[in-house]
Amino acid sequence: MRTDLGTLRLGAFVHRRLIAPGALAASLMLAIPASAADYSPGAPGIGDPYYPAYGNGGYDVSHYDLRLKYQPESDKLEGTATLLATTTQDLSRFNLDFLLDVSEVRVNGAKASLTTSGEHELEITPKTPLPKGTAVTVVVRYSGVPSSKKAYGFTSWHRTPDGGVGANEPEAAWWWFPSNDHPLDKATYDVSVAVPDGTQAISNGTLQSATSRLGWTRYNWRSNKPQATYLATLAVGRFDVTTGTSESGIPIVNAYSKDLGDNYGAARASIERTGEIADWLTEYFGPYPFNALGGYVPNTTTGYALETQTRPFYSPRQFANGTNVSVVVHELAHQWYGDYVSVAGWKDIWVNEGFARYAQWLWSEHEGEGTAQEIADYVYASHPADDAFWTVKPGDPGPENQFHIAVYDRGALALQALRNEIGDEAFFAILKGWPKQYAHGNATVGDFLKYAEKVSGQPLAALFDTWLYQASKPSAPAARDASIASRSASTPAQPKSWKKIAATNDVHEHEHEDAPAREH
């Protein structure tokens, strides 16, 4: 972010040419309305066709500083959010995505006027307009009961017996901090949360400090790498916390709700392998991109898991049938595919989910429980040509099918087809090179196609079109040799790992079931 005064566009306020003294007053009077006309409100959405009201235009956030106080018994959250941003246009007004009650907003120290609109829009009008390129500090004071707020008929704040959790996709921030809520605007975070003694606050990144005073403990967490808003998380409750270090030297913090009951052992037996799995994934995806690892399991009634950056969220239900290492593989794979490199738009969800699913197939190979090709054969044979599975296009599934199983399984089939087409050497070079190519940024499905063609030296548009964009079953999986093609033509046996993989099928069934059909 630029903070120099040189970013102020003086030409918006005064003429640069010399004028006659007698015409000075009239000239200045004419200049003011003209300059005012140059300023306009930032768009109420960032431009995503799947979710037009998500995110906002006119500015880019570089850092969020959240200083919060949370009372588990009442679910009351009080906070002061400080956003550091830079304007991207001459800005008369701008929006934040938020649901709680706001008492005051200040922009560069001056009190701003505010109102609300739509389902989740906080409209802020600064005291003076903001020229393009201006460094802006926005302070928002707020309070409320997150679980009492809904947008589009649902909530992304989950009450637990001992607190609450903010975690969902594609939206979760609205319930606990004001933001520019879209992956295109990634930022760093400081999250400081005061909770009653005996209760913990879990968030992303590294724990900087925890201090107690007058019956309250304040936890200070820091995420020092760019992070999408939906990947920011907060969980307050009573946890058993374990700490350690991966073999590669990354500090690990895991947290398990004390009242997980019968799911406690299986959850812990799975998530305590986080360091081992992350180190294993570096063989395929390159160095781990962040300075913290972990996972947490609050006592929620949700069914999904989520790749919240550095510290994935897991629901207890993921471990109802025993250990579930495969879901840990999935969420940790997202640290590269989804977190380190984020979608440019929600239509690009395949560059997250197809790859995290394929990581589960690679883990199956690693465990000797079925190769990726054997799993691909089984998935392909399991869905007849008239199955609706094949009507979902992973490359552009539509918001109603964004987390459809086809995005995962057909998405992984596309990667196996790519692997067979270009060979292992080029394929694994792509898997490892892609995160580095778009490190801490955003990318599209089209970007991945271009990158795969560049690395492999082969035209791949037809293959990508067949597996990602056609609403029909391909005639046969791509295969490099006759034995694979022959096996694909028969009914393959179920791989040993399949039940474990299938147990994660609800990994991203984000719970909007109480919501009416949303039109985006």
Side-chain angles (χ1 to χ4, degrees), residues 9 11-15 27-39 90:
R9 303 201 312 165
F13 299 97
V14 298
H15 288 298
S27 178
L28 287 176
M29 289 180 67
L30 289 173
I32 292 172
S35 64
D38 292 339
Y39 291 86
D90 291 331

Side-chain angles (χ1 to χ4, degrees), residues 79-83 96 98 100-107 109-115 122-125 138-143 178:
T80 300
T82 302
L83 286 64
L96 293 172
F98 197 44
L100 298 186
D101 303 319
V102 176
S103 59
E104 183 182 68
V105 176
R106 289 184 177 270
V107 177
K111 194 169 183 178
S113 60
L114 61 100
T115 188
L122 175 65
E123 296 186 0
I124 300 169
T125 303
V138 182
V139 178
V140 183
R141 299 184 189 277
Y142 58 94
S143 64

Side-chain angles (χ1 to χ4, degrees), residues 46-47 97 129 152 160 178 196 222 238 264 286 363 366 400 440 455 461:
I46 208 166
D97 301 301
Y152 306 101
T160 61
R222 171 168 290 176
R238 296 179 181 272
Y264 183 93
W363 180 257
H366 174 68
E400 70 283 358
H440 300 300
V455 173

Side-chain angles (χ1 to χ4, degrees), residues 373 376-377 380-381 413 416-417 420 467 474-480 484-485 488-489:
Q373 183 64 59
D377 292 342
Y380 181 84
L413 281 174
Q416 185 62 29
N420 290 337
W467 289 96
S475 57
R480 290 188 69 80
I484 292 176
S488 298

Side-chain angles (χ1 to χ4, degrees), residues 43-61 64 66 83 94-99 119-122 151-152 154-156 166-187 189 227-233 306 308 342-346 402 442 512 518 520:
I46 208 166
D48 194 308
Y50 278 21
Y51 305 102
Y54 288 21
N56 305 286
Y59 63 95
D60 183 82
V61 181
Y64 292 90
L66 309 177
L83 286 64
F94 62 93
N95 287 17
L96 293 172
D97 301 301
F98 197 44
L99 290 173
E119 293 275 348
H120 57 89
E121 300 290 335
L122 175 65
Y152 306 101
F154 69 89
T155 179
S156 291
N168 208 345
E169 183 183 9
E171 65 291 285
W174 313 340
W175 283 264
W176 65 285
F177 70 97
S179 68
N180 192 16
D181 191 30
H182 192 277
L184 277 176
D185 195 358
K186 299 164 81 167
Y189 285 74
Q227 176 176 287
T229 43
Y230 85 96
L231 298 173
T233 192
L306 182 64
T308 41
S342 299
V343 295
W346 285 112
Q402 188 176 348
N442 304 79
H512 300 161
R518 289 188 287 163
H520 293 288

